[in-house]
Amino acid sequence: MTDHMLVFVYGTLTDPERVASVVETFEFVGDATLLGLHRVDGRYPTLAPGGRTDGRLLETSDMDALDSYEGVGRGLYSRITVPSERESGERVAIYVGDPAKLGVPEAISWPGDGSLETRIRRFIENTEVRVRTSE
């Protein structure tokens, strides 16, 4: 177990019963909006540049279980942190999926070169991607 971390969730993990089946302890902190990335649906949802995504802010200390659920070790999703607009200023984890592995029907273009994770991280660092909560 690691320290508690905030995670922006926008798919199956917005359901408390699903979260309870994945991690031992968690708390929903509240509703949140991810600015700078929009949701794209395939077999599983992922994120793409631009727009916004509504979801929930989850707090847990069991990031290993979330990583396993999201298939981080299998290359399905990458866990990346983004700034939050909360007063505490902490960063929030998001999971961004590989559209080719998730059956996403539309083309998603992450600018630049390098691996998908490298391009995603670079995009987030160079744009105003952030999480807004209603605290």
Side-chain angles (χ1 to χ4, degrees):
M1 299 282 259
T2 61
D3 291 335
H4 285 268
M5 185 163 205
L6 293 174
V7 183
F8 175 81
V9 293
Y10 58 93
T12 59
L13 291 175
T14 59
D15 175 30
E17 289 180 15
R18 179 60 62 99
V19 177
S21 73
V22 175
V23 299
E24 290 186 28
T25 60
F26 71 94
E27 178 182 352
F28 281 111
V29 177
D31 294 333
T33 301
L34 178 64
L35 304 171
L37 299 174
H38 69 278
R39 178 179 164 149
V40 178
D41 290 314
R43 196 172 70 235
Y44 299 104
T46 188
L47 298 166
R52 59 184 276 163
T53 302
D54 292 325
R56 299 178 85 179
L57 206 56
L58 170 74
E59 184 175 17
T60 186
S61 60
D62 201 354
M63 294 306 295
D64 290 341
L66 284 182
D67 285 353
S68 178
Y69 176 79
E70 296 289 3
V72 171
R74 298 187 321 269
L76 294 179
Y77 285 85
S78 296
R79 177 173 26 120
I80 297 169
T81 62
V82 300
S84 76
E85 292 183 351
R86 293 170 55 102
E87 280 186 31
S88 56
E90 74 266 62
R91 293 183 69 83
V92 175
I94 61 172
Y95 287 93
V96 181
D98 182 337
K101 294 180 180 178
L102 300 177
V104 173
E106 72 180 69
I108 296 175
S109 177
W110 291 95
D113 53 6
S115 70
L116 176 61
E117 185 171 339
T118 298
R119 289 181 284 141
I120 293 168
R121 287 183 189 280
R122 189 178 309 121
F123 179 85
I124 289 170
E125 289 172 8
N126 294 323
T127 61
E128 292 293 317
V129 174
R130 64 201 180 283
V131 173
R132 176 176 292 157
T133 60
S134 54
E135 62 176 355

